[in-house]
Structure formats: C-alpha cells, structure tokens
Amino acid sequence: MAKMKFLCDEERCIECNACVTACKNEHEVPWGVNRRRVVTLDDGMPGEKSISVACMHCTDAPCQAVCPVDCFYTTEDGVVLHDKDICIGCGYCFYACPFGAPQYPQEGAFGARGKMDKCTFCAGGPEEDHSHEEIEKYGRNRLAEGKLPLCAEMCSTKSLLAGDGDVVSELFRNRVVRRQGRQEAWGWDTAYNVK
Amino acid sequence: MSNTNSLNRRKKMMTWTGIVMLLAIFLLPMTGYISTGFATAAEEQVEATNPKSDYWRQVRDNTAGYSAVKGRETNELIQGSGQNWRQLRNGPIAQYGSWLLGLMLAVLAVFYLWRGEIKLSQPRTGKTVERWTLKERRMHWLTAGLFVILGVTGLSLLYGRLVLIPLFGHHGFSSYAEIAKWTHNILGPVFMVGLLSMIFNWFKLNFFNKVDLQWLKDFGGMIGDKHPPAEKLNAGEKMWFWSLVMMGLALCFTGLVLDFPNFDQQREVMQISHLIHVITAIGLIAFSFGHIYIATIGTEGALEGMVTGHVDTAWAQQHHDLWLKELNKKASSDK
Ligand code: SF4
Ligand code: SF4
C-alpha cells in the first residue's frame, strides 16, 4: 500500500510561495488559516535556505495520540485526516504537532478556537467524496480524482514533491546522486521515523 | 670640509625620515587589514563545522527564520517539545493520575468500612453556635460547585477518550466534550474569583501553631478515641487550605495561560502550563475526596456547619474545643 509523503528539497526551494497560494486558493481555507507555509532560514545571508512545510502526515502522528475526542484517522494511503464534526477545537494537536500544522479559525472573543484545520494531502475528509459538505469543510479531494496535492504539482522548481513515499524518495535519491550531495530528506526522521 | 660633512649627514637624515614617513603613510592604513585578517582567521576556526549540518541543527532546534505566513511560531520548522508533552500527558500523568485518584477512593472506602462514621461522643445539647456566616457559606458552595464542574469536565478531556467514547460513541462524546470545553473555559475564571475570596477571607484562621502539631500527632482523632484539641480550624483543614492556596493558584494561573490563546504565547509555554494544570488539578481532586469524605459521611454533624451555618455545641466541644472556649469567653465578656 502506498504511504503518502511530502518532501521538500531545500536546495531547490526559491521561496516563491506558490505552494502556499495554490493551497489557499484550491481549498478556500478560512480566513487567518494557512495550511502550508514557507520558512526561510538565514534569510538574506550566504547559505540561505527555504523549506515549504505543511502537515507531514506522520506515521505515528502526535496529533492523533493527544486528541481527546479521537477525531483523527489515517487513510489507507497513509494520509492523516480528521473529522471536523467531532473536533472540539481544544488546541492539543497544535501543542503536540512538530510541524505546527494544525490551525484554528478564531471563534468568538479572546482567541477562542474554532474547529481545527490542516492540510489534508488534498484528500478531503470523512464526508462523501466531492460532496458539498466535503468541499465546505475540508476543500477539494484531488486524491479521489487520481491527482496529487496541488502545492507539489504547482512547484515550479519541483522542490516540493508529494506522493507515494517510495517513489518520492527514489526520485530524490537520483537527484541527490546526480548533484553529488548528501541525502537529507527534510523532516522525515521526525515524521516517518526514517532518514 | 666639516661643513659639507654636516650637510651630507642632514641630507641623509632627511632621506631616511622621508622613507620612514612614506612607509608609515602606506603601512599604517594597512594595519586595519592586518587586524581584520586575524579576526577572520579566528572566525574561520569557529565556523569550521559543516555548514550543512549547522543548517539541519537549526531546523531541528526550532530556530526562528522568516516566513511570509504570519502567525504563532510560523517561522519555525520543527518544535521538539510537543513530543515530550505528548509522552508525559499520555504516559505517566494519565497513568499515575488515575492511580492516585483510585487509590484515594479505595483508602477512604476501606477506612469507612473499618472506622465507620465518627459519632458524637456526647449527646447533642440542642444549643448551637454559629460556625460559618452566610457570606462564607455562599463563597464555599460557589467555589465547591465550580470545583466539581471543572473537575468533571477537565477529567473528561483527559480520560474521556478511554472511558467515555466506548460508552457514548465518538459523536456522542464529542457533543458533550464541546460543551465541557466551553463550560470549563468560561467557569474557570469564575472559580478563580471564588478561590481568591476564600483565600483572603480565611487567611488569618489558617496559621499553624503548637495545637496543630499535637492534633497531627493524634491523627486528628481519626484513629483511636482521643479528641485532640483544635481551634476553629484543625490542622487537617489548614493543610487543605494551604494546598488550595499553592496548588490552586498554580492551577488558576496556568488555566488563564491556556484559556486565552490570543496573546501569542508559545507552544512550549502552553505545554508546560498544561502539565502543571493537570498535575495540580489531579492533586487537588484527590485531596478534595478526603475533604468531602470527612465533612460528610466521615463525621457526624460536620456538614451542618457549612449547610446551616450553625453547629451543635456538643460537636464543637468534641472537634473544636478551643474555638468553643473562645466563643464562650467572648459571649460572657460581652454580657
Ligand atoms: S504533521 Fe502535525 S498535524 Fe500532520 S500528522 Fe504530523 S502531528 Fe499530525
Ligand atoms: S483541536 Fe480538534 S483535532 Fe485537535 S486535538 Fe482538539 S479536538 Fe482533536
């Protein structure tokens, strides 16, 4: 069975934020919420590097482990999804997530959290595929159409890769061999317990 | 001859002076290069580590970078403390917490079976004295009621997934948990007001002294037939008070940190707050079992004081003799 993974090649990311915009537009995510973001380290200095990050769909997902209402589930493709009808907006998944993926639309005063929103690997949610409810709550379900996440599809330098973990890592390995670098799949040890 | 000699010498001196000055003009500004040269050499030594691995270290150490997406810690890539929080919360805290609460209940049950209710040793006199004013009782019951609600809703978030989801199903538990979350978040600050007013009003009654030492030595008359002397509040009540002061204030403060996430407090702050919040809460809940037991089925006549405000003098004589004596003294001096 495929295990979906994200990989961001930090040698290629040019911090154009196209992935961020593509995601925001495709899923019409709530105001104040961004499912993906690009982080630049040593910005403006020699050796500056950027990485695009969203939910990594962890193998042993911390968010899933701490959710008090147990609203997460992992699909057959290894995508970590959650049920917004069950989520109570407690914020625990945000405390636990290593990648800062869970976001909350503000609901009411004093920063009270609404239902959690995060990257779905363009795989929708528990509602019926392509139903109105699914699009409303989770955005589009590209996986059900046989397409991969839009952020990676849009990436002009093919820095951001998304798909079956084996395929992605093979692609990346070849790339690294050709440029004679060291293979360092960003965040994979944290998310998937592999290097 | 001597004249030409001295002229030559002067010429020579001038030439040398000229050369030295020229050299100085060219060389002195160069000292800047020399010193920076040394500095960069030293710097190179410091930065001799692999820049690539430095970079990955930065990624893991949640070093703040730049992100066009603004928000709480959006400029960090990986935060490691979340895993620690998860392991502490799901592991030892949930486990030992449930043991502590269970153990406390078991001990009380066994104690009740063994000792039974501590009866009044003398028949009631029918005369009563005032123990708690209406204001004090209101304060107590408001805080106590909120304590129970907050305790139940809070424990539901910690243990509900294990205990309540199998009973009510995911959707059923979720609807309850949603209400529980809002109730907890809104009543929390109100509880804090109740707690603070109790602390301020009863502060003076709660200093420990020699009487308390003796009371503790005699286990407060819980074991054996002795009735150690006590003032208005005995050592047990004072201990309960001070745990409420210390743990209760920590509980309230961390509760505020968690309740108002709009100040952009960092995740690590919230993780630590949450841990302190759970630990102090479970500690106080365990302690409250003891308090509730002693004040209800554990001691005949104890609950009357907090319900009606008055207690029988026989009860007062048995449990708080020094307080009764003082009351009598005051009453006779008033006459
Ligand atoms: S990246 Fe965060 S939200 Fe996504 S699966 Fe991992 S812990 Fe959960
Ligand atoms: S915010 Fe929602 S998804 Fe996250 S832990 Fe709380 S209930 Fe679960």
Side-chain angles (χ1 to χ4, degrees):
Chain A
M1 196 81 273
K3 162 77 181 100
M4 292 302 179
K5 290 179 185 173
F6 275 125
L7 194 151
C8 184
D9 185 345
E10 86 288 349
E11 296 291 339
R12 286 197 179 198
C13 179
I14 54 168
E15 200 206 352
C16 67
N17 279 291
C19 48
V20 178
T21 315
C23 172
K24 184 109 181 131
N25 188 55
E26 178 78 346
H27 303 298
E28 308 210 356
V29 286
W31 177 251
V33 172
N34 278 289
R35 291 181 177 176
R36 183 168 279 288
R37 64 187 196 276
V38 178
V39 178
T40 306
L41 295 181
D42 296 329
D43 190 23
M45 315 244 280
E48 155 186 327
K49 291 258 160 41
S50 299
I51 286 178
S52 169
V53 57
C55 170
M56 291 288 276
H57 303 277
C58 304
T59 306
D60 171 25
C63 54
Q64 203 157 16
V66 297
C67 175
V69 293
D70 193 19
C71 78
F72 289 91
Y73 60 100
T74 306
T75 68
E76 282 183 347
D77 295 328
V79 176
V80 178
L81 297 178
H82 71 293
D83 188 336
K84 284 195 182 181
D85 292 346
I86 295 178
C87 170
I88 58 170
C90 67
Y92 285 5
C93 48
F94 176 64
Y95 303 165
C97 174
F99 301 99
Q103 307 280 305
Y104 304 88
Q106 186 168 323
E107 189 177 276
F110 304 118
R113 301 179 179 99
K115 299 200 183 278
M116 188 274 275
D117 190 89
K118 74 167 187 70
C119 156
T120 63
F121 209 86
C122 286
E127 312 283 351
E128 198 190 316
D129 286 352
H130 312 304
S131 63
H132 178 66
E133 286 77 30
E134 187 183 56
I135 292 175
E136 278 282 285
K137 289 179 200 159
Y138 309 96
R140 304 220 164 259
N141 190 341
R142 292 171 53 88
L143 238 55
E145 294 170 11
K147 296 174 185 162
L148 285 172
L150 189 65
C151 49
E153 301 278 279
M154 291 276 286
C155 179
S156 56
T157 60
K158 288 287 166 273
S159 161
L160 187 61
L161 305 172
D164 181 358
D166 294 338
V167 178
V168 164
S169 93
E170 183 60 20
L171 239 158
F172 184 57
R173 206 178 56 79
N174 286 338
R175 193 187 276 182
V176 171
V177 166
R178 212 166 310 155
R179 71 179 180 224
Q180 299 182 325
R182 199 145 60 97
Q183 179 153 4
E184 213 73 71
W186 176 82
W188 276 34
D189 48 345
T190 306
Y192 316 126
N193 288 321
V194 291
K195 276 279 169 190
Chain B
M1 192 60 195
S2 70
N3 249 355
T4 47
N5 249 358
S6 70
L7 196 73
N8 267 352
R9 210 183 296 144
R10 209 176 283 164
K11 261 190 196 156
K12 234 189 224 163
M13 263 173 71
M14 274 173 71
T15 335
W16 276 114
T17 317
I19 290 170
V20 167
M21 276 175 77
L22 267 176
L23 271 176
I25 286 167
F26 282 110
L27 283 180
L28 272 179
M30 303 264 273
T31 53
Y33 289 98
I34 293 168
S35 63
T36 49
F38 280 126
T40 36
E43 240 168 55
E44 260 159 28
Q45 245 167 20
V46 172
E47 281 183 4
T49 52
N50 178 0
K52 195 74 190 263
S53 61
D54 282 346
Y55 175 71
W56 292 113
R57 197 169 312 123
Q58 282 194 351
V59 169
R60 275 190 302 273
D61 290 353
N62 40 340
T63 307
Y66 166 82
S67 179
V69 171
K70 298 296 170 219
R72 187 178 339 216
E73 295 172 89
T74 46
N75 56 350
E76 291 176 11
L77 283 166
I78 298 181
Q79 62 124 6
S81 55
Q83 267 303 43
N84 301 343
W85 175 74
R86 161 202 181 168
Q87 264 148 11
L88 286 172
R89 172 191 181 266
N90 287 11
I93 289 184
Q95 192 178 354
Y96 296 134
S98 62
W99 288 2
L100 179 67
L101 296 179
L103 193 76
M104 194 72 191
L105 289 177
V107 166
L108 290 173
V110 169
F111 184 80
Y112 184 69
L113 290 178
W114 171 67
R115 185 70 159 88
E117 185 180 49
I118 295 176
K119 299 271 179 216
L120 287 174
S121 51
Q122 303 293 323
R124 286 171 186 267
T125 58
K127 274 200 299 184
T128 59
V129 283
E130 183 176 50
R131 185 158 168 76
W132 303 112
T133 64
L134 183 62
K135 185 180 146 238
E136 285 173 312
R137 277 178 283 149
R138 267 201 214 126
M139 196 166 70
H140 171 271
W141 289 114
L142 172 78
T143 318
L146 290 174
F147 184 87
V148 173
I149 296 173
L150 290 167
V152 171
T153 50
L155 287 178
S156 302
L157 278 205
L158 185 57
Y159 296 117
R161 181 163 167 179
L162 194 73
V163 182
L164 299 178
I165 290 183
L167 287 178
F168 303 130
H170 280 88
H171 284 275
F173 175 64
S174 162
S175 337
Y176 158 69
E178 174 104 41
I179 300 169
K181 178 196 117 171
W182 282 106
T183 317
H184 198 94
N185 285 356
I186 290 167
L187 293 185
V190 187
F191 170 79
M192 191 171 157
V193 175
L195 182 72
L196 285 177
S197 66
M198 283 203 327
I199 291 176
F200 284 127
N201 280 287
W202 289 336
F203 199 75
K204 271 194 250 132
L205 296 172
N206 279 287
F207 292 113
F208 285 102
N209 54 36
K210 267 202 214 108
V211 182
D212 297 314
L213 207 66
Q214 189 55 44
W215 189 92
L216 283 174
K217 273 189 197 146
D218 293 336
F219 296 104
M222 303 263 291
I223 298 168
D225 286 328
K226 274 202 211 151
H227 290 305
E231 301 167 303
K232 180 166 183 177
L233 294 180
N234 62 40
E237 288 165 304
K238 289 179 185 176
M239 272 156 49
W240 175 222
F241 176 83
W242 288 110
S243 5
L244 274 172
V245 171
M246 287 183 295
M247 307 219 286
L249 287 182
L251 183 77
C252 289
F253 179 73
T254 52
L256 289 180
V257 172
L258 296 166
D259 203 355
F260 299 102
N262 53 324
F263 295 108
D264 269 353
Q265 48 279 59
Q266 302 214 319
R267 279 168 291 181
E268 206 164 343
V269 173
M270 291 196 271
Q271 288 152 7
I272 294 168
S273 299
H274 177 272
L275 294 181
I276 297 174
H277 198 73
V278 184
I279 292 171
T280 50
I282 290 183
L284 283 180
I285 292 170
F287 217 140
S288 79
F289 286 162
H291 174 68
I292 294 169
Y293 168 81
I294 294 172
T296 55
I297 57 172
T299 320
E300 185 185 358
L303 191 59
E304 290 161 24
M306 201 41 97
V307 174
T308 65
H310 289 73
V311 290
D312 198 280
T313 49
W315 183 89
Q317 178 61 36
Q318 182 175 341
H319 294 284
H320 298 274
D321 51 349
L322 298 178
W323 170 62
L324 186 66
K325 213 191 263 170
E326 207 163 285
L327 280 184
N328 287 338
K329 219 168 49 190
K330 221 190 262 166
S332 56
S333 69
D334 278 355
K335 264 175 211 161

